[in-house]
Amino acid sequence: AQRVTQVQSTGSSQWGEVTLDCSYETSEYSYLILWYRQLFSGEMVFLIYQPSFDTQNQRSGHYSVVFQKSFKSISLVISASQPEDSGTYFCALSELTGDSNYQLIWGSGTKLIIKP
Amino acid sequence: EAAVTQSPRNKVAVTGGKVTLSCNQTNNHNNMYWYRQDTGHGLRLIHYSYGAGSTEKGDIPDGYKASRPSQENFSLILELATPSQTSVYFCASGDGRGDAETLYFGSGTRLTVL
């Protein structure tokens, strides 16, 4: 069973606000959720992260998150979306393993198409 | 600017052949990772390294070896390639900031094993 779950695909129109959902499973109290975007070239680019201990939703440029810790859910919000924001967005859970290392568990990604 | 370069970009191999995927980073990061990406799956970790001379097994290491001869270079080796290893492979370097580590990815290598 997947521990990080994302919707397969979604779309929007230019200038709209886009919300991409991610749900996860963890028994850790402290963890991070990170968002990456995969460009059409294949390259993955880091966008934003949310620490579990932080009650404030993080923002970075026109990206923000809505973090619902009690539901183990987080959404990436893209404001004023542009066609250039099209791509596949990945949610990843970072948690501490038994041997004191951090591991990333990736969702399968949401393909986003922004139409002009 | 941070840079991770993978080679080759595309590779076609035959079953039973040896394949080496190369990765070079100019970020001076200690941590490096090899992932594979398949449709319907997130990135899956194959091997990783904490520095020159070190390699560690990830979640799906079977059928793969890794080599980290220097800080800059990290290779993934398929000694006996199989069609099930057809995939897109990504190398990444990490800035080592614990749980908030940011990964910098290469552009991927598309491997087809016939």
Side-chain angles (χ1 to χ4, degrees), chain A residues 2-60:
Chain A
Q2 289 202 343
R3 293 184 57 197
V4 180
T5 304
Q6 296 181 254
V7 172
Q8 190 170 11
S9 63
T10 189
S12 180
S13 298
Q14 188 174 0
W15 300 117
E17 183 176 274
V18 176
T19 299
L20 306 177
D21 297 325
C22 172
S23 61
Y24 56 91
E25 298 174 14
T26 183
S27 57
E28 298 296 321
Y29 180 76
S30 179
Y31 55 88
L32 263 74
I33 303 293
L34 303 95
W35 284 92
Y36 283 79
R37 175 187 167 198
Q38 187 168 36
L39 309 179
F40 290 124
S41 66
E43 185 179 354
M44 298 275 281
V45 178
F46 169 74
L47 299 177
I48 192 170
Y49 75 85
Q50 174 74 44
S52 62
F53 58 78
D54 197 336
T55 57
Q56 187 170 11
N57 292 323
Q58 301 300 300
R59 300 187 67 88
S60 178

Side-chain angles (χ1 to χ4, degrees), chain A residues 8-9 23 26 28-30 39 52-53 61 68 71 75 79 89-90 95 100-101 109-111:
Chain A
Q8 190 170 11
S9 63
S23 61
T26 183
E28 298 296 321
Y29 180 76
S30 179
L39 309 179
S52 62
F53 58 78
Q68 297 180 290
F71 293 106
S75 299
S79 60
Y89 288 78
F90 288 88
E95 60 180 16
S100 301
N101 294 315
T110 297
K111 186 174 183 179

Side-chain angles (χ1 to χ4, degrees), chain B residues 96-114:
Chain B
R97 291 185 299 147
D99 58 353
E101 178 176 55
T102 297
L103 300 184
Y104 296 83
F105 285 83
S107 297
T109 295
R110 184 172 296 275
L111 173 65
T112 302
V113 182
L114 302 176

Side-chain angles (χ1 to χ4, degrees), chain B:
Chain B
E1 186 174 331
V4 178
T5 306
Q6 293 181 233
S7 62
R9 286 300 309 273
N10 292 283
K11 173 75 177 178
V12 179
V14 295
T15 298
K18 181 177 181 179
V19 177
T20 300
L21 307 183
S22 300
C23 179
N24 176 275
Q25 57 112 348
T26 59
N27 307 326
N28 197 31
H29 288 160
N30 288 332
N31 299 346
M32 294 188 75
Y33 305 85
W34 275 106
Y35 288 95
R36 64 178 283 177
Q37 183 180 28
D38 302 289
T39 303
H41 290 275
L43 294 174
R44 293 185 289 175
L45 182 63
I46 307 171
H47 283 287
Y48 58 100
S49 168
Y50 290 131
S54 106
T55 60
E56 307 288 338
K57 293 181 179 180
D59 299 323
I60 54 165
D62 292 346
Y64 303 94
K65 291 183 180 178
S67 174
R68 184 86 181 271
S70 64
Q71 178 82 337
E72 298 80 18
N73 296 295
F74 190 37
S75 298
L76 185 68
I77 303 152
L78 291 67
E79 294 279 4
L80 295 170
T82 68
S84 65
Q85 294 175 311
T86 293
S87 187
V88 180
Y89 292 84
F90 286 95
C91 174
S93 71
D95 60 16
R97 291 185 299 147
D99 58 353
E101 178 176 55
T102 297
L103 300 184
Y104 296 83
F105 285 83
S107 297
T109 295
R110 184 172 296 275
L111 173 65
T112 302
V113 182
L114 302 176

